[in-house]
Amino acid sequence: MTDPSAASRRPVQAVVLAGGQGSRLRPYTDDRPKPMVEIPGTGTPIIGHQLAWLAEEGVTDVVVSCGHLAEVLQKWLESADLPLSVTTVVETEPLGRGGGLRYAAAHLPHPDRSWYATNGDIWTRFSLRDMADFHAERDAVATLALARPRLPWGAVQTDGFGHITDFIEAPPSTFEINAGVYVFSPEFAAMLPERGDHERTTFPRLAREHRLAGFPIPQGSYWRAIDTAKDLTEAARELAAPSGR
């Protein structure tokens, strides 16, 4: 049973990492950063969907870490009718993923409180409140959302004699992957490298110390990383389906 005081400990602040060049999404990213690419049929860029979701989950303040074509993203944020308060930061020099996350976290309004983070190319919907409670119950320093993406190929099943018994179109992966959405405790920021990749330093260290948790995204929840033009097409198709989000 969830601690009644859990709600007061849930994050109200988040970092969105939006500095990638999105080279695999060209030509869409020739004149805009990846988070500014519109999901076809929605009239809203990826980051617009993310900010709406964060607001629905109780977030009031977001720091957006910009990089490639930062001015395009900043201009949109200044003109959009946003459901929460947004601050942008731009790295003056490349700091790596961990250093960039640390730099952005330094601009959060509540350094003594937990925070969410998400990659700028993730389009998803699930309960961040449940993820925050999961994080607190395990006394973790960092919690990663875990997804089982569908494989982009068809699969076959065989029997013990090597006969094919079935064909399965785009089955879910048998492995869970880092879904690019996180909950971090206040002390996490100081554990990040000033330069470099936290996934090769901080995360492995926390895993060895049993302070890194993994929250499986609930079955049936929507999750997609927008990496290529095909992902945009698939997202639009899924959105148009009766169960689309």
Side-chain angles (χ1 to χ4, degrees):
M1 183 174 178
T2 302
D3 182 346
S5 65
S8 65
R9 299 196 302 267
R10 291 171 186 155
V12 295
Q13 56 188 356
V15 168
V16 176
L17 298 172
Q21 294 195 11
S23 56
R24 291 197 293 168
L25 261 175
R26 289 177 177 156
Y28 296 100
T29 51
D30 285 344
D31 62 353
R32 68 196 64 192
K34 186 193 288 191
M36 279 301 299
V37 174
E38 179 187 323
I39 302 295
T42 70
T44 303
I46 298 168
I47 194 167
H49 293 282
Q50 290 185 321
L51 295 176
W53 173 51
L54 290 169
E56 290 166 5
E57 293 296 322
V59 174
T60 58
D61 294 271
V62 172
V63 176
V64 178
S65 178
C66 307
H68 175 64
L69 296 173
E71 64 280 1
V72 177
L73 178 51
Q74 289 172 321
K75 184 177 180 180
W76 182 82
L77 291 169
E78 290 169 2
S79 63
D81 182 15
L82 302 175
L84 34 65
S85 176
V86 175
T87 301
T88 60
V89 296
V90 182
E91 296 174 31
T92 56
E93 55 183 325
L95 299 174
R97 290 193 297 177
L101 187 59
R102 180 173 180 143
Y103 179 70
H107 293 79
L108 288 167
H110 308 290
D112 58 338
R113 297 193 61 175
S114 297
W115 46 291
Y116 298 117
T118 181
N119 296 341
D121 58 357
I122 301 298
W123 186 26
T124 186
R125 285 292 188 279
F126 65 90
S127 174
L128 283 176
R129 293 180 174 91
D130 287 349
M131 184 177 174
D133 293 345
F134 179 97
H135 171 84
E137 288 162 4
R138 282 149 186 81
D139 197 26
V141 173
T143 297
L144 286 60
L146 305 177
R148 288 186 185 272
R150 290 195 169 275
L151 299 177
W153 316 283
V156 296
Q157 284 186 335
T158 59
D159 62 19
F161 296 97
H163 299 126
I164 293 176
T165 58
D166 200 4
F167 293 88
I168 306 170
E169 185 63 29
S173 169
T174 56
F175 293 99
E176 293 175 313
I177 67 164
N178 180 351
V181 180
Y182 313 91
V183 182
F184 297 133
S185 293
E187 63 267 34
F188 179 76
M191 298 178 180
L192 288 164
E194 294 187 3
R195 292 176 183 272
D197 188 348
H198 61 294
E199 296 195 9
R200 296 185 178 182
T201 55
T202 312
F203 280 175
R205 169 189 161 191
L206 290 174
R208 290 192 298 269
E209 297 172 354
H210 301 287
R211 295 193 293 169
L212 184 68
F215 174 79
I217 294 177
Q219 186 174 4
S221 298
Y222 188 82
W223 179 89
R224 178 174 287 278
I226 308 296
D227 289 321
T228 66
K230 182 179 179 182
D231 291 320
L232 282 175
T233 302
E234 290 293 318
R237 179 182 62 79
E238 290 159 354
L239 182 70
S243 60
R245 291 173 180 264

